[in-house]
């Protein structure tokens, strides 16, 4: 079974700082990778996803993530954060194909706090 | 437009009681998922429907958990003889095609507390 590790539990940054949130997964086969975000008081929503092709994926609100297959990583980045980026961020993975590819395995999440 | 709606938002149950949690997906969404999110954890997969067919129930933790989607729209997650370890937020999500091909739209969840 696949698993996802998010090593940063709580990250605190000042506005305009650069952001990188780590995500590592354990699964040897083809994977689909996702980042979901949960703003305070709101539901989870998709930030970006990777299926295949260019390993650098751009999402909404200036976020991007890079899939590095050799490192089993899919880190989330943003060059300059805003106060409105305060939220909880979840990395998720699913198998690339076959039975079970609809089942997303989530990490434990990283709480991001941006100080104005 | 309307998103995924879950009810109730909060449920307190005494240990041993049965509970039923409802999910109204976005109209026309084929796929429906249930996830369980314990405090401080990420969501954990419970089960998945494509229309009325339950294609994957590998995440249901015990036979006390049962989910249905009889007409391919509204879904109910039932937990029998609740235990304290069942306390969690139960999230429902739907997607137009599937979790891989189209984004999951999550509801706000039902927070279940078993006392």
């Amino acid at each position: 079974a696949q698993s996802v590790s998010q090593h940063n539990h709580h990250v605190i940054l000042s506005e305009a700082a650069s952001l990188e949130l780590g995500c590592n997964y354990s699964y040897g086969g083809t994977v689909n990778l996702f980042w979901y975000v949960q703003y305070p008081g709101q539901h989870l929503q998709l930030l970006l996803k990777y299926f295949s092709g260019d390993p650098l994926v751009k999402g909404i609100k200036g976020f991007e993530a890079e899939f590095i297959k050799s490192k089993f990583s899919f880190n989330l980045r943003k060059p300059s954060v805003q106060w409105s980026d305060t939220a909880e961020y979840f990395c998720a993975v699913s198998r690339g194909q076959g039975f079970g590819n609809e089942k997303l395995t989530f990490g434990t999440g990283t709480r991001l706090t941006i100080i104005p | 437009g309307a998103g995924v709606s879950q009810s109730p938002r909060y449920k307190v149950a005494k240990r041993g009681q049965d509970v039923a949690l409802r999910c109204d997906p976005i109209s026309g969404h084929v796929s429906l998922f249930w996830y369980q999110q314990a405090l401080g954890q990420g969501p954990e997969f419970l089960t998945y429907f494509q229309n009325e067919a339950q294609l994957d129930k590998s995440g249901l933790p015990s036979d006390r958990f049962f989910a249905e989607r009889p007409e391919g729209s509204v879904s109910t997650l039932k937990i029998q003889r609740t235990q304290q370890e069942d306390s969690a937020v139960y999230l429902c999500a739907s997607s137009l095609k599937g979790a891989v091909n189209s984004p999951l739209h999550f509801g706000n969840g039902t927070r279940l507390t078993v006392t």
Side-chain angles (χ1 to χ4, degrees):
Chain A
Q2 61 264 32
S3 66
V4 179
S5 296
Q6 292 182 248
H7 304 294
N8 312 108
H9 298 293
H10 189 192
V11 173
I12 302 173
L13 294 172
S14 298
E15 274 192 319
S18 64
L19 169 72
E20 181 161 3
L21 302 182
C23 173
N24 289 87
Y25 66 92
S26 64
Y27 181 65
T30 305
V31 292
N32 305 304
L33 296 158
F34 307 82
W35 276 97
Y36 278 81
V37 60
Q38 187 168 27
Y39 297 103
Q42 297 187 27
H43 53 267
L44 277 164
Q45 54 188 288
L46 182 67
L47 202 54
L48 49 79
K49 62 184 180 183
Y50 170 81
F51 292 163
S52 63
D54 189 344
L56 185 62
V57 179
K58 294 193 184 298
I60 60 173
K61 303 187 180 185
F63 285 91
E64 64 179 31
E66 185 176 12
F67 170 49
I68 304 179
K69 189 174 180 180
S70 61
K71 294 185 177 181
F72 297 88
S73 71
F74 190 56
N75 292 356
L76 181 71
R77 301 195 293 246
K78 186 171 183 178
S80 176
V81 294
Q82 300 172 306
W83 177 79
S84 58
D85 293 326
T86 295
E88 185 130 22
Y89 293 80
F90 293 91
C91 181
V93 63
S94 74
R95 293 184 182 183
Q97 54 195 359
F99 180 76
N101 74 331
E102 294 292 342
K103 181 166 71 175
L104 265 60
T105 299
F106 285 84
T108 53
T110 297
R111 185 154 63 102
L112 176 65
T113 301
I114 305 301
I115 300 170
Chain B
V4 176
S5 178
Q6 292 188 246
S7 60
R9 285 295 308 276
Y10 303 94
K11 176 70 178 177
V12 179
K14 291 186 178 178
R15 190 173 58 181
Q17 282 184 330
D18 297 349
V19 298
L21 312 180
R22 177 187 169 105
C23 173
D24 281 87
I26 294 174
S27 178
H29 277 197
V30 168
S31 298
L32 186 146
F33 303 80
W34 284 99
Y35 282 83
Q36 180 191 58
Q37 187 173 17
L39 190 64
Q41 302 296 314
E44 289 196 9
F45 173 86
L46 293 177
T47 186
Y48 157 56
F49 291 86
Q50 191 173 87
N51 296 308
E52 68 278 4
Q54 190 174 22
L55 298 187
D56 188 343
K57 55 181 181 179
S58 62
L60 296 176
S62 76
D63 59 8
R64 297 186 295 103
F65 287 72
F66 172 76
E68 60 183 4
R69 194 186 184 197
E71 297 177 0
S73 56
V74 172
S75 177
T76 303
L77 176 67
K78 297 178 180 178
I79 309 173
Q80 296 176 323
R81 304 180 304 281
T82 52
Q83 304 293 316
Q84 282 193 316
E85 62 262 29
D86 299 335
S87 295
V89 175
Y90 290 84
L91 297 170
C92 177
S94 70
S95 69
L96 188 59
K97 298 177 183 177
V100 174
N101 294 317
S102 52
L104 286 180
H105 295 262
F106 281 86
N108 285 322
T110 293
R111 183 179 296 277
L112 173 66
T113 303
V114 181
T115 61

